[in-house]
């Protein structure tokens, strides 16, 4: 329930129609200043007690301004003047402004005119003729927005002359001491009369500059300090100055803050007769004072209850002390509350949540503790018995003050039933449990330190002997982390008393400390081993080319990880734009031992861009290669490789064609590469030289060159560094004249539907060479339209033809200068195509290993060759060699010598050739012959399938 008080008096809501409760909130209608203004506070009551809320003040804003006629104010020009607003009766924040002559012309504030928001007065530092007129003070209540106006005040100039210049006189200034709340906005005003108009400046008394948050307004007349803090407190000075002098006022800003909690209490549940100590602390300025409330009522220190500087002590507590407590901290700027509940407990012993374990297991020789801590208020006194015998403290038995029974160096005789009896002033209770003493557990075979190679698998043993009454579990830790079943390399193997760990396909990361942990009901044991995993070395690093020449490179590198086995040697590999992948190279020293981190690579090619990498080897193997070095180019050099395979010949009349195998780019040794050709007739001694950059071929032309004349030729290489070696001398013949006078006759005859034979006879009356013969005919099925044969060959078989087709052909001789005259054209017609139908209705009879087969004769079509016989081919399954039997009958007998599967094909023969051997048209029969018990199994596979046709089996 909720109650409200106003100015400390309980509000009776029963007869009141203006005020009511809504969910604990107080709702007031038709507010009345006389009845409703004041300090409100709420008190909330519950089963645990009552607490009061913070205080709330309800005030009413209003504005009353009595007006009466005002006399004129007469001043001289140049004189300062103050026009008084008057003092309105009001509540709430007010703001002031002045109207000049008539509304809405307000006085504009500047360095000469100022309206104080503290007094409401209008200050004119130096009157000018333009200031003459009527002035009205306007007061506005910021809360109600109400407005009130004073009577007009006339301002007139005197006629007895202007006012002379004089020093500043400060009319508006702040008090000697200004209290300022933490976080508030502090405003100081300072304005002076004077002629000339004074200039206003501000400074701190300690000389410290103003922080950036400080603002100057209205020509420095107003100093504003937002979010006032402790460091803003201190002395402030306002200085008004003109050429006639200056004046100063001083004041101090004092810091104050309402209380804030820095330490509070918590809800407490204490047993009856215990001691309560609560302490709360708050900061604030001035320092707050403290008081305590219980259930909303003021507490007074007396007897069991002591209050001192925010601390509350009650000793001992009793049931009447239960309730809601509030600590109150207060200074003149505010008051704060903090609430906590005190519960006082009183009950007989209760073991429902802390009974002894029905069965407690312990290994022989260990220490056992049985805790007897019932829920009891006040705390219970405990006693123990084993069976029916009370227990007393001995060398091995300890009865601790908190009710715990402790046995050390237990034996099997200590097993049995134990009972704890607890009692306090409210009653008694007991709990019973049983102690079972077991034999110690031993690890009979644990893991041992091992060395292993990457990729192998091992089993780390962990086997135990333990008491049958105990349950044992096994777990493994690797480098302090528990291994889980999620790791695919690990597998737990073994029986009930074994927790062996299998590690499959060991990697380098599996090296470390392995611990087998055995947990039973009474103890935990462990055994550890170090596993060293050896692998090929890690990649070296930092491969650097220290120095490079035209054929060598000095390298250095940093070693990689040895992975458990010392590095015994290093291997250097190179790669260039001309190699496929990385290649091994020669080095000095030839064998680079594991302690050497530099080497010289030799036998490099000049003017080639190289990359280098290093591999390390240990007893396990060769490791991964290092990152490649930066690309480095060897220096250029004179070519050291001569062109190879110099030859030539052919070409046109008066030409000597010279060919050679170009020098590969990686052997050219520098820029500006080309070839030097040296040639001379066999009968001459002097050489003729020519230079070319074209690779592989050069044509020397001279009208004096006789056809097919021999020349000595050699080819050398050069580059920008100089000339390299020449090749060995080769003999090359100049171009010969074309064959012009050879004539002959050709003949042809058909062999089959796909092939015919061509023969010829040639007669030549000229000395030109004949290198061979060319037979030309229309394009064949394979796309060829000619056949070339060497000299001395006078027949050739042409295949890939169509059946029953006429072909026209010619024959001519040729040499390097071209082909000669062709023979008269001859025509050859191929034979008709072989039968397209395979034998049908194949029947067979198998007796023992003798197979007799029959089939229907093949009937040929009009465009097919007549059948001249049949060919039966057979082979053993999974063999490639066929045996063939030819017959002009429609039957055949075959002896199958082995008990095996056979593939059998039957095709028709004709002048056009064999019938097609396409599987669709060829009968293929797979026979499996099994002897014994007069049984016969015949398997058929890949039979010719035609609509309406079948095979009959006898």
């Amino acid at each position: 329930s909720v109650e409200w008080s106003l100015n400390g008096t309980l509000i009776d809501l029963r007869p009141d129609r203006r005020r009511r409760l809504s969910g604990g909130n107080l709702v007031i209608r038709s507010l009345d200043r006389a009845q409703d203004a004041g300090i409100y506070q709420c008190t909330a009551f519950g089963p645990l007690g009552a607490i009061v809320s913070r205080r709330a003040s309800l005030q009413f804003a209003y504005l009353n301004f009595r007006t009466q006629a005002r006399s004129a104010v007469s001043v001289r020009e140049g004189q300062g003047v103050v026009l008084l607003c008057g003092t309105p009766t009001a509540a709430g924040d007010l703001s002031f402004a002045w109207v000049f002559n008539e509304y809405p012309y307000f006085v504009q504030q500047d360095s000469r005119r100022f309206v104080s928001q503290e007094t409401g007065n209008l200050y004119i530092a130096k009157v000018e003729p333009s200031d003459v007129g009527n002035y009205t003070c306007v007061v506005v209540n910021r809360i109600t927005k109400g407005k009130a106006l004073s009577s007009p005040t006339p301002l007139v100039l005197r006629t007895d002359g202007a006012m002379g210049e004089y020093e500043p006189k400060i009319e508006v200034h702040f008090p000697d001491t200004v209290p300022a709340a933490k976080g508030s906005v502090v405003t100081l005003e300072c304005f002076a009369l004077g002629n000339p108009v004074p200039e206003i400046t501000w400074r701190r008394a300690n000389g410290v500059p103003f922080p950036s948050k400080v603002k100057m307004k209205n020509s420095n007349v107003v100093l504003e300090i937002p979010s006032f803090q402790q460091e803003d407190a201190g002395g402030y000075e306002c200085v008004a100055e003109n050429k006639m002098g200056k004046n100063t006022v001083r004041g101090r800003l004092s810091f104050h803050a309402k209380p804030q909690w820095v330490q509070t209490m918590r809800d407490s549940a204490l047993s009856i007769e215990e001691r309560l100590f609560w302490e709360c602390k708050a900061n604030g300025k001035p320092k707050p004072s403290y008081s305590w409330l219980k259930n909303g009522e003021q507490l007074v220190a007396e007897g069991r209850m002591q209050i001192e500087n925010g601390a509350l002590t009650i000793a001992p507590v009793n049931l009447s002390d239960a309730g809601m407590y509030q600590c109150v901290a207060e200074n003149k700027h505010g008051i704060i509350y903090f609430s906590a509940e005190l519960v006082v407990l009183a009950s007989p012993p209760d073991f429902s949540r802390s009974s002894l374990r029905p069965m407690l297991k312990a290994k022989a020789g260990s220490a056992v503790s049985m805790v007897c801590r019932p829920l009891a208020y006040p705390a219970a006194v405990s006693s123990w018995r084993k069976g029916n015998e009370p227990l007393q403290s001995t060398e091995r038995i300890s009865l601790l003050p908190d009710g715990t029974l402790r046995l050390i160096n237990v034996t099997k005789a200590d097993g049995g039933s134990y009972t704890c009896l607890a009692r306090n002033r409210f009653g008694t209770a007991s709990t019973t449990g049983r102690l079972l003493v077991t034999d110690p557990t031993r690890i009979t075979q644990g893991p041992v330190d091992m060395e292993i190679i990457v990729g192998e698998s091992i089993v780390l043993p962990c086997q135990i002997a333990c008491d049958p009454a105990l349950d044992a579990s096994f777990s493994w830790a690797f480098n302090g982390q528990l291994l889980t079943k999620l790791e695919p390399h690990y597998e737990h193997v073994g029986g009930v008393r074994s927790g062996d760990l299998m590690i499959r396909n060991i990697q380098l990361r599996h090296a470390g400390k392995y611990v087998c942990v055995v947990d039973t009901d009474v103890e935990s044991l462990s055994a550890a081993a170090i596993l060293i995993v050896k692998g090929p070395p890690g990649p070296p690093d930092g491969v650097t080319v220290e120095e490079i020449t035209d054929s060598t490179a000095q390298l250095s590198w940093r070693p990689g990880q040895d992975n458990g086995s010392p590095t015994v040697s290093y291997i250097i590999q190179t790669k260039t734009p001309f190699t496929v992948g990385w290649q091994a190279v020669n080095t000095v020293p030839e064998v680079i031992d594991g302690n050497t981190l530099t080497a010289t690579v030799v036998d490099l090619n000049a003017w080639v861009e190289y990359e280098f990498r290093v591999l390390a080897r240990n007893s396990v193997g060769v490791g991964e290669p290092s990152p490649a070095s930066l690309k480095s180019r060897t220096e250029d050099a004179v070519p050291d490789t001569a062109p190879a395979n110099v030859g030539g010949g052919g070409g046109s009349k008066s030409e000597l064609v010279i060919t050679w195998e170009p020098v590969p780019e990686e052997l050219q040794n520098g820029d500006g590469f080309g070839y030097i050709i040296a040639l001379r007739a066999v009968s001459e001694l002097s050489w003729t030289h020519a230079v070319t950059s074209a690779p592989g071929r050069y044509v020397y032309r001279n009208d004096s060159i006789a056809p097919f004349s021999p020349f000595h030729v050699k080819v050398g290489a050069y580059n920008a560094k100089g000339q390299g070696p020449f090749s060995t001398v080769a003999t090359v013949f100049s171009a010969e004249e074309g064959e012009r006078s050879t004539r002959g006759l050709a003949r042809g005859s058909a062999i089959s539907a796909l092939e015919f034979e061509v023969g010829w006879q040639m007669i030549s009356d000229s000395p030109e060479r004949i290198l061979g013969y060319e037979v030309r005919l229309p394009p064949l099925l394979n796309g060829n339209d000619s056949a070339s044969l060497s000299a001395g060959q006078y027949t050739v078989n042409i295949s890939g033809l169509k059946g029953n087709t006429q072909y026209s052909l010619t024959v001519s001789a040729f040499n390097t200068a071209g082909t000669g005259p062709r023979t008269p054209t001859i025509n050859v017609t191929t034979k008709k195509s072989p039968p397209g139908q395979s034998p049908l209705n194949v029947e067979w009879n198998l007796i023992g290993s003798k197979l007799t087969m029959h089939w229907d004769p093949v009937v040929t079509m009009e465009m097919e060759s007549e059948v001249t016989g049949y060919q039966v081919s057979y082979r053993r399954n999974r063999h490639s060699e066929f045996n063939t039997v030819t017959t002009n009958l429609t039957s055949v007998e075959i002896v199958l010598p082995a008990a095996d599967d056979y593939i059998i094909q039957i095709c028709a023969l004709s002048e056009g050739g064999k019938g097609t051997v396409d599987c669709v048209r060829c009968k293929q029969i797979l026979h499996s012959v099994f002897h014994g018990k007069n049984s016969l199994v015949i398997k058929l596979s890949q039979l010719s399938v035609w609509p309406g046709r079948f095979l009959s089996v006898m």
Side-chain angles (χ1 to χ4, degrees):
S1 61
V2 174
E3 291 181 352
W4 282 86
S5 63
L6 172 60
N7 298 327
T9 302
L10 180 65
I11 300 175
D12 187 0
L13 298 175
R14 288 174 297 178
D16 197 334
R17 294 185 177 180
R18 292 190 311 110
R19 295 180 287 197
R20 64 181 177 86
L21 286 179
S22 175
N25 299 325
L26 178 62
V27 180
I28 306 174
R29 295 181 302 170
S30 302
L31 286 169
D32 181 86
R33 185 171 72 185
Q35 297 184 60
D36 299 325
I39 304 299
Y40 287 80
Q41 194 166 28
C42 167
T43 305
F45 297 88
L48 305 176
I51 57 174
V52 298
S53 70
R54 64 183 180 180
R55 297 170 184 170
S57 174
L58 176 59
Q59 298 176 336
F60 290 83
Y62 62 91
L63 173 62
N64 293 322
F65 200 6
R66 295 180 60 188
T67 60
Q68 58 184 7
R70 299 191 178 193
S71 303
V73 177
S74 179
V75 296
R76 292 178 178 159
E77 182 183 350
Q79 183 180 355
V81 68
V82 178
L83 301 182
L84 303 180
C85 179
T87 306
T89 303
D93 292 339
L94 303 178
S95 66
F96 299 92
W98 285 78
V99 173
F100 179 54
N101 287 332
E102 60 182 12
Y103 186 84
Y105 297 104
F106 287 92
V107 174
Q108 299 300 312
Q109 301 184 69
D110 52 24
S111 61
R112 194 171 62 85
R113 290 170 295 190
F114 173 64
V115 177
S116 172
Q117 296 304 310
E118 298 290 338
T119 65
N121 299 334
L122 171 61
Y123 300 85
I124 303 176
K126 172 189 172 186
V127 176
E128 297 179 352
S130 61
D131 295 326
V132 173
N134 292 320
Y135 290 83
T136 302
C137 180
V138 181
V139 185
V140 177
N141 190 309
R142 299 181 189 270
I143 305 301
T144 67
K145 307 303 180 184
K147 182 190 302 182
L149 282 69
S150 70
S151 299
T153 301
L155 178 65
V156 298
L157 287 180
R158 291 171 56 175
T159 59
D160 55 352
M163 183 76 173
E165 295 180 341
Y166 62 95
E167 66 181 17
K169 178 184 178 183
I170 296 177
E171 287 290 340
V172 181
H173 59 82
F174 47 93
D176 293 340
T177 301
V178 179
K182 178 182 178 181
S184 65
V185 178
V186 177
T187 301
L188 303 180
E189 296 180 343
C190 181
F191 189 79
L193 310 181
N195 186 9
V197 175
E199 180 181 348
I200 305 298
T201 57
W202 295 84
R203 64 191 178 199
R204 295 192 66 168
N206 59 9
V208 176
F210 290 118
S212 59
K213 69 177 181 177
V214 175
K215 301 176 183 177
M216 305 290 182
K217 297 182 177 180
N218 295 350
S219 301
N220 290 355
V221 174
V222 177
L223 173 70
E224 183 178 281
I225 306 174
S227 185
F228 189 80
Q229 302 297 323
Q230 178 77 53
E231 60 269 19
D232 296 322
Y236 286 77
E237 296 180 356
C238 171
V239 180
E241 184 176 7
N242 63 14
K243 68 180 183 179
M244 303 303 296
K246 67 180 178 179
N247 203 349
T248 303
V249 293
R250 298 176 177 85
R252 174 170 294 275
L253 295 181
S254 62
F255 177 81
H256 70 80
K258 65 181 182 181
Q260 288 184 321
W261 292 118
V262 295
Q263 179 181 333
T264 56
M265 65 281 194
R266 296 182 178 178
D267 294 340
S268 296
L270 298 180
S271 173
I272 191 170
E273 299 178 359
E274 286 189 324
R275 175 178 178 269
L276 170 69
F277 178 79
W278 272 337
E279 184 177 19
C280 57
K281 293 180 181 179
N283 57 19
K285 193 166 184 180
K287 186 176 180 180
S289 60
Y290 301 93
S291 60
W292 286 83
L293 304 177
K294 178 189 176 187
N295 295 329
E297 301 294 332
Q298 188 82 28
L299 287 179
V300 179
E302 59 180 359
R304 297 179 304 109
M305 187 174 299
Q306 299 297 321
I307 299 174
E308 182 178 0
N309 292 332
L312 171 65
T313 304
I314 305 176
V317 298
N318 57 39
L319 292 176
S320 64
D321 295 322
M324 296 298 300
Y325 289 77
Q326 288 179 283
C327 179
V328 184
E330 182 177 11
N331 65 13
K332 66 180 182 179
H333 302 295
I335 182 171
I336 55 176
Y337 301 81
F338 194 86
S339 305
E341 175 191 355
L342 173 62
V343 177
V344 179
L345 304 171
S347 67
D350 179 11
F351 284 105
S352 61
R353 297 185 180 182
S354 58
S355 60
L356 290 176
R357 293 168 58 180
M359 175 65 74
L360 176 63
K361 298 177 182 179
K363 72 172 182 178
S366 66
V368 176
S369 293
M370 288 181 258
V371 178
C372 180
R373 291 179 186 165
L375 193 66
Y377 305 100
V381 177
S382 302
S383 61
W384 286 86
R385 67 172 182 262
K386 179 185 178 187
N388 295 321
E389 297 295 326
L391 290 178
Q392 303 294 329
S393 293
T394 66
E395 291 183 355
R396 291 195 314 110
I397 302 175
S398 299
L399 300 176
L400 303 182
D402 64 355
T404 300
L405 170 63
R406 182 171 176 78
L407 307 177
I408 61 174
N409 195 21
V410 296
T411 65
K412 295 263 188 178
D414 292 320
S417 176
Y418 288 81
T419 301
C420 172
L421 181 64
R423 100 173 17 91
N424 68 7
R425 60 195 257 192
F426 298 106
T428 61
S430 65
T431 179
T432 300
R434 187 170 184 82
L435 175 64
L436 175 64
V437 180
T438 63
D439 294 327
T441 302
R442 295 179 297 106
I443 296 179
T444 58
Q445 184 180 3
V448 296
D449 295 348
M450 300 179 66
E451 292 185 358
I452 194 168
I453 303 300
V454 165
E456 296 181 350
S457 299
I458 61 166
V459 174
L460 298 179
C462 187
Q463 300 176 10
I464 63 170
C466 72
D467 194 296
L470 296 177
D471 294 325
S473 64
F474 298 87
S475 59
W476 285 85
F478 172 54
N479 291 338
Q481 298 294 321
L482 186 66
L483 289 178
T484 67
K485 294 182 180 180
L486 299 177
E487 170 58 58
H489 291 270
Y490 297 106
E491 180 181 354
H492 292 275
V493 296
V496 177
R497 294 292 183 255
S498 176
D500 298 348
L501 176 68
M502 174 175 282
I503 311 177
R504 304 179 187 274
N505 188 21
I506 286 181
Q507 303 300 309
L508 291 171
R509 67 176 184 275
H510 296 138
K513 183 178 181 180
Y514 288 82
V515 179
C516 174
V517 180
V518 183
D519 290 303
T520 69
D521 303 333
V522 299
E523 62 183 321
S524 180
L525 301 86
S526 64
I530 301 298
L531 181 63
I532 298 175
V533 180
K534 294 183 177 181
D541 190 24
V543 178
T544 304
V545 179
E546 304 288 353
E547 183 179 353
I548 193 165
T549 67
D550 60 350
S551 62
T552 66
Q554 178 73 34
L555 305 184
S556 65
W557 60 89
R558 295 190 298 271
Q561 299 291 330
D562 63 11
N563 292 336
S565 179
T567 300
V568 298
S569 63
Y570 289 100
I571 302 168
I572 298 178
Q573 296 178 338
T574 66
K575 184 172 73 171
T576 73
F578 313 107
T579 60
V580 178
W582 292 87
Q583 309 290 332
V585 291
N586 297 326
T587 61
V588 175
E590 185 175 353
V591 177
I592 308 170
D593 65 55
N595 297 319
T596 301
L597 300 178
T598 62
T600 300
V601 180
V602 298
D603 301 333
L604 301 179
N605 293 327
W607 200 244
V608 173
E609 196 173 60
Y610 283 90
E611 292 179 88
F612 300 90
R613 71 179 187 184
V614 181
L615 301 87
R617 176 190 286 116
N618 62 12
S619 61
V620 179
V622 177
E624 291 294 320
S626 69
S629 68
L630 296 177
K631 294 181 179 179
S632 299
R633 183 182 290 274
T634 51
E635 296 177 350
D636 56 353
V638 172
D640 53 10
T641 301
N645 296 328
V646 176
S652 301
K653 181 181 178 181
S654 303
E655 288 184 349
L656 176 64
V657 178
I658 303 168
T659 60
W660 63 91
E661 186 177 314
V663 176
E665 185 179 348
E666 63 268 29
L667 301 178
Q668 293 178 2
N669 291 3
D671 283 336
F673 185 82
Y675 298 93
I676 303 173
I677 294 91
L679 58 95
R680 66 183 179 185
V682 171
S683 59
E684 296 179 357
L685 296 178
S686 62
W687 294 89
T688 299
H689 292 85
V691 175
T692 181
S693 60
R697 189 174 187 271
Y698 178 75
V699 178
Y700 175 71
R701 295 179 177 85
N702 192 316
D703 293 340
S704 64
I705 298 178
F708 207 61
S709 300
F711 282 80
H712 287 163
V713 176
K714 59 182 179 178
V715 181
Y718 72 92
N719 63 16
K721 292 286 286 187
Q723 180 179 325
F726 275 96
S727 67
T728 57
V729 175
T731 299
V732 179
F733 285 83
S734 62
E736 56 186 327
E737 291 184 343
E739 204 286 322
R740 298 185 302 274
S741 59
T742 301
R743 60 190 184 279
L745 297 174
R747 56 181 171 76
S749 62
I751 298 175
S752 68
L754 304 176
E755 185 178 16
F756 58 65
E757 180 188 62
V758 178
W760 58 89
Q761 182 178 7
M762 294 293 181
I763 301 173
S764 178
D765 297 332
S766 63
E768 286 81 14
R769 289 190 309 161
I770 296 178
L771 295 181
Y773 300 97
E774 181 183 75
V775 179
R776 183 167 294 276
L777 66 166
L780 306 180
L781 295 177
N782 59 15
N784 294 330
D785 63 355
S786 64
S788 296
L789 297 96
S790 60
Q793 185 174 351
Y794 298 102
T795 61
V796 64
N797 287 0
I798 306 298
S799 59
L801 307 175
K802 295 181 180 179
N804 199 26
T805 302
Q806 178 177 291
Y807 291 88
S808 299
L809 57 90
T810 60
V811 180
S812 60
F814 67 85
N815 61 18
T816 59
T819 59
R822 298 186 180 277
T823 65
T825 299
I826 65 171
N827 297 318
V828 182
T829 301
T830 56
K831 296 183 180 295
K832 292 184 179 180
S833 298
Q837 175 65 58
S838 57
L840 300 178
N841 297 326
V842 179
E843 300 176 354
W844 62 85
N845 187 13
L846 182 65
I847 301 176
S849 60
K850 181 178 179 181
L851 176 66
T852 302
M853 302 182 67
H854 300 268
W855 56 87
D856 290 347
V858 174
V859 178
T860 60
M861 306 295 286
E862 180 180 356
M863 299 304 295
E864 295 178 343
S865 299
E866 293 294 330
V867 175
T868 60
Y870 298 92
Q871 178 178 293
V872 179
S873 301
Y874 61 94
R875 65 176 174 83
R876 294 171 63 182
N877 194 26
R878 296 182 297 276
H879 289 67
S880 59
E881 182 178 354
F882 271 95
N883 294 316
T884 302
V885 175
T886 302
T887 179
N888 55 6
L889 304 177
T890 57
S891 63
V892 71
E893 291 184 353
I894 302 173
V895 177
L896 304 177
D900 201 350
D901 296 342
Y902 283 82
I903 305 294
I904 302 177
Q905 296 177 343
I906 306 174
C907 297
L909 300 178
S910 70
E911 284 188 348
K914 288 195 303 182
T916 177
V917 294
D918 189 294
C919 292
V920 174
R921 292 191 169 91
C922 237
K923 303 297 181 180
Q924 295 188 0
I925 308 162
L926 176 63
H927 293 271
S928 294
V929 182
F930 299 87
H931 298 282
K933 296 185 179 180
N934 298 319
S935 62
L936 171 63
V937 178
I938 301 177
K939 297 180 180 178
L940 308 180
S941 73
Q942 203 170 345
L943 298 178
S944 177
V945 180
W946 290 81
R949 298 181 181 180
F950 59 91
L951 288 174
S952 62
V953 181
M954 297 177 61

